[in-house]
Structure formats: structure tokens, C-alpha cells
Amino acid sequence: MTARISSTGLWTPPNSISNDELVGSYNAYVEQFNTENAISIENGETEPLNPSSSAFIEKASGIKARYVLSKDPILDPKIMEPRIKERSNEEISVLAEMAVWAGRDALEKAGRAPEEVDAVIVACSNLQRAYPAIAIEVQKYLGTSGFAFDMNVACSSATFGIETARGLIAGGQAKSVLVCSPEICSGHLNFQDRDSHFIFGDVATAVLLESEDIAPPNSWEIISAKLVTEFSNNIRNNFGFLNRTAPDGVGKPDKLFVQNGRSVFKEVVPMVADMITKELAANDIPPESLKRMWLHQANINMNNFIAQKVLGKDADPTMAPVVLDEYANTSSAGSIIAFDKHNDDFKPGDIGLICSFGAGYSAGLILVRKS
Ligand code: CO8
């Protein structure tokens, strides 16, 4: 049974932080650090911290703002972390709640009742707890049928989730699968790290896949999909359940997001451009017949390079729409936000591609045609 994408859903947190607000807080922290350590800096024992800059952030990444669950504590130079109140086991967990909101949006857009969904996959970069699976909690609070499970392929979680859902439908396990990607990136971002404090934002997306016999007439045919991984330490977070077995390392910066951004840029751009070019060729789709590329939203310059390599010319914003200016990098959700917000002009037969890339390295490509 062939699967189609019937709808998408989006939940955006209410609080936005501009570059100027974030840089203001970071620079206040720098000033405080350099003042408190003035003697040690003068003796050459401590490296002074350098200020951050909004102009650098926008030029290097294209990011202008980001949405977050918790704004004020991130901007408080004495805290510089989100604060999200712990909930009792009787309350819905925050990650599941975001997934439910995005999931409801997707179901409403497709005119579906929750019980018509046979499976929920929560596919995201960071799961709130070890167990029970967040997806099973989403199943309970949404009221969906069948089964649910979590998966994590970092930034490529949503595209790998879509392809997994397609496999479940093709294999007869389900006729309708909801792939939710709740991303609380602020929870694993080091806001005291100048190189990366500006990169991420929070959001949740959802994608509803259904077998072709029940999908609505205006759904999206999945022409083909390609998944690629190649191990790299250039984007890494060592937080995990074994940390307590090595107490010396607890709370160290490597237990949050760390990357070698320049290497990622250089290595991932050719990997992704090559994957897209080969997959288009394998499906006899000339690049010029593509109407849109809903690319991963990490860096606008990266996307421009990828689009340029695939198309052989500069891409205009309608070909590769940008949402990272408003949302920053939302890990696996980024390409789905772009797809959700920029597909109204598609006519039957128009072809586009959803493409993710990031930690792992991992890259996922979903080629779609509007029915
Ligand atoms: N303000 C001012 N100057 C700065 C700042 C700052 N904030 N940060 C760095 N600089 C300076 C540096 O010190 C350097 O100065 P100098 O030349 O004097 O040494 C100069 O700016 C240039 O620094 P870089 O070479 O680091 O700057 P780049 O042009 O490479 O831009 C980027 C940095 C924007 C990070 C860029 O490299 C990039 O976007 N790379 C791609 C990254 C990427 O795509 N990563 C994917 C990660 S996301 C993912 O996979 C999901 C992981 C799981 C989710 C995690 C959630 C938290």
C-alpha cells in the first residue's frame, strides 16, 4: 500500500527572542565574567571572553530571532538557561504536550478524528526522559489507536520518521501514521557559548501520512525517499544516562550541544547536494522541473550553496523558502515548518522535496508530488 502525506501541523511557542536581546544578555555575562576575573586575565591565567554581535549572527547564519518555551531566564545573565517547571507523573509532560498541539493541527487540517490514526511516531533530537516513550503519552492524550514509539536521528528525525511511517503503511501495520517532532532545542543549548548561543529555537511539527486509499484528493504522493548517515563527531552532545557513572564529567560543556560549525558547513553541503542530485536523476526528474526545496533550516548560506549546486544557478526565496530567520534552527522540525508554511501555491503534478541534514551526520530526502 502506497503512503501519502495528507497534512502537516505546527505549534509555535508564544515567546520570541531577537538577536539584539540575546546578544545583550550574552554581552552582560561577558562583562561580568571579565570584571570578576580581571586579575587572572591580566596575569594571563584566564582567557577573556569576547562579546557576541547581532550583525555577525545574521550575516553568518541568517538567523534574526528564535521562539522559546521560557524566555526571561535565558536572558538573565545570572541564569542563561530556560526554566521549565517539573510536572507530576499525573500531568502531561511538556514534550508530549507540544507534540499533541502540533498533532491536533495536522489532524484538523486533514479533517481526521484521533481514533482514525493507527500509529504515532515521536521523531526528534532530544527526548525528555528514558521511558515510557513520549509517543505513547501522545497517543494517550490525543486519543489515537494502535501503537506508538520514539526515534531520534537528530536533525533528520522528521524525514527518517516520514520514511519509517511510509514503511509501516506499506507493510500493512497501519493505514494512518502521525509523525510528531517536538523540539525543545533551548534545553540543550549552551547560552554561554559565543559560537553557538544564537543557533537554536523551540517548536513542534507534525506530519500525517495515510495509505492512498484513504488519503484526501489534495494529498502529497511520495515519489521516493533517500536516507543517508555517516559518523561524525563535529556535532555532538554527550548527555546521557551513563553520566552519573562518571561524576567528574557531570555539568561539563560537552553535556550540551557542541559543534565545529565550519567543518559541518564544509562537509555537509556537498554530501546533501550530491544526495539530492542523485535522487532526482534516479527518478528522471530534471532539477529545473522542481518547484520547491523545503530545506533544513540551519544556515541560510548553507541552503543557498546546496540550492546553487543542485540547480546550477542561484535559487530565489520561492525555490528554497527561509523560516530560520524567524525560528532559527529548530533541528528536525525546520524543513517541515518550511513545507507547512510554503506549499499553498502547489498545483496537481507540481514536484518538491523535503530535505533534512545535521548531526550524525544524517540526511533525509522526501520527494513529493501534489495530487
Ligand atoms: N559573535 C561575533 N563573532 C563571533 C561569534 C559571535 N556570536 N561567534 C563566532 N564569532 C567569530 C569567531 O570568533 C571567528 O572570529 P576569527 O575569524 O577572528 O577567529 C569568526 O566569527 C568566524 O567564526 P566561524 O568560522 O565559527 O563562523 P562561521 O562563518 O563558520 O559561522 C556558524 C558559524 C553560523 C555556526 C556556521 O559555521 C554554521 O552554521 N555551520 C553549520 C552548522 C550546522 O548546520 N549545524 C547543524 C547543527 S544542528 C543539528 O544537527 C541538530 C543537532 C541536535 C539539536 C541540538 C539542539 C541544541
Side-chain angles (χ1 to χ4, degrees):
M1 186 59 76
T2 305
R4 287 168 179 264
I5 294 177
S6 293
S7 65
T8 52
L10 174 64
W11 177 76
T12 302
N15 313 301
S16 173
I17 298 180
S18 69
N19 283 348
D20 283 349
E21 287 176 297
L22 195 71
V23 165
S25 143
Y26 181 86
N27 288 350
Y29 156 73
V30 166
E31 213 176 297
Q32 190 182 311
F33 177 92
N34 288 347
T35 307
E36 280 170 6
N37 294 283
I39 296 171
S40 153
I41 290 170
E42 208 172 297
N43 294 342
E45 290 155 9
T46 301
E47 279 292 315
L49 296 179
N50 291 316
S52 183
S53 116
S54 297
F56 167 83
I57 294 170
E58 194 172 335
K59 185 161 184 283
S61 69
I63 295 166
K64 297 177 185 165
R66 68 286 295 142
Y67 292 99
V68 290
L69 292 189
S70 153
K71 175 169 174 171
D72 293 345
I74 289 173
L75 294 180
D76 183 338
K78 292 196 170 59
I79 304 175
M80 298 179 85
E81 289 173 351
R83 288 283 178 264
I84 301 168
K85 206 168 171 291
E86 200 163 86
R87 298 183 181 185
S88 76
N89 289 357
E90 280 62 51
E91 295 170 281
I92 186 169
S93 64
V94 65
L95 202 70
E97 190 172 47
M98 292 165 64
V100 164
W101 284 328
R104 275 202 193 121
D105 187 34
L107 293 183
E108 272 167 30
K109 283 182 191 154
R112 296 286 184 244
E115 56 272 20
E116 292 177 86
V117 175
D118 304 319
V120 172
I121 301 175
V122 166
C124 63
S125 278
N126 266 258
L127 290 154
Q128 191 178 339
R129 59 168 180 259
Y131 41 82
I134 300 289
I136 304 177
E137 197 180 356
V138 174
Q139 175 189 12
K140 173 192 154 163
Y141 280 94
L142 265 181
T144 57
S145 319
F147 61 95
F149 60 91
D150 296 343
M151 55 182 279
N152 176 358
V153 201
C155 286
S156 291
S157 299
T159 51
F160 277 56
I162 290 171
E163 180 58 357
T164 303
R166 190 163 82 118
L168 290 172
I169 291 170
Q173 284 288 347
K175 280 178 102 56
S176 171
V177 183
L178 187 65
V179 181
C180 300
S181 298
E183 292 287 10
I184 310 180
C185 298
S186 62
H188 37 111
L189 181 54
N190 183 352
F191 287 96
Q192 296 184 341
D193 175 29
R194 177 174 175 257
D195 288 347
S196 65
H197 75 117
F198 56 88
I199 290 182
F200 291 100
D202 305 335
V203 80
T205 57
V207 181
L208 180 68
L209 287 98
E210 295 179 313
S211 61
E212 61 182 343
D213 56 332
I214 61 166
N218 64 347
S219 57
W220 299 82
E221 175 197 349
I222 298 176
I223 303 167
S224 77
K226 184 76 186 168
L227 310 179
V228 176
T229 54
E230 190 181 307
F231 187 70
S232 167
N233 280 317
N234 281 330
I235 311 165
R236 191 160 171 142
N237 179 344
N238 285 328
F239 181 79
F241 77 101
L242 287 180
N243 293 161
R244 66 195 279 266
T245 67
D248 288 356
V250 172
K252 293 272 160 65
D254 74 316
K255 307 304 180 301
L256 293 167
F257 170 87
V258 182
Q259 77 165 351
N260 184 345
R262 182 96 341 170
S263 301
V264 174
F265 198 113
K266 279 196 195 139
E267 289 167 16
V268 169
V269 167
M271 176 181 164
V272 173
D274 186 56
M275 175 181 76
I276 296 175
T277 304
K278 285 189 175 143
E279 197 58 18
L280 289 175
N283 286 282
D284 289 326
I285 297 172
E288 56 274 15
S289 67
L290 267 184
K291 180 160 175 140
R292 193 145 303 149
M293 295 192 273
W294 299 282
L295 297 175
H296 180 54
Q297 301 287 315
N299 184 304
I300 196 169
N301 304 317
M302 238 172 156
N303 286 8
N304 288 341
F305 272 118
I306 290 168
Q308 212 276 342
K309 272 178 179 279
V310 171
L311 303 170
K313 59 175 187 185
D314 288 341
D316 61 50
T318 56
M319 170 55 87
V322 178
V323 300
L324 62 85
D325 53 347
E326 179 186 349
Y327 282 84
N329 182 343
T330 49
S331 194
S332 68
S335 56
I336 307 300
I337 306 173
F339 179 53
D340 179 87
K341 283 182 173 277
H342 296 279
N343 72 44
D344 281 352
D345 57 332
F346 266 60
K347 299 187 179 57
D350 285 347
I351 295 174
L353 63 85
I354 303 168
C355 181
S356 67
F357 41 88
Y361 296 133
S362 60
L365 172 63
I366 313 287
L367 258 177
V368 293
R369 183 187 286 118
K370 184 77 176 171
S371 302

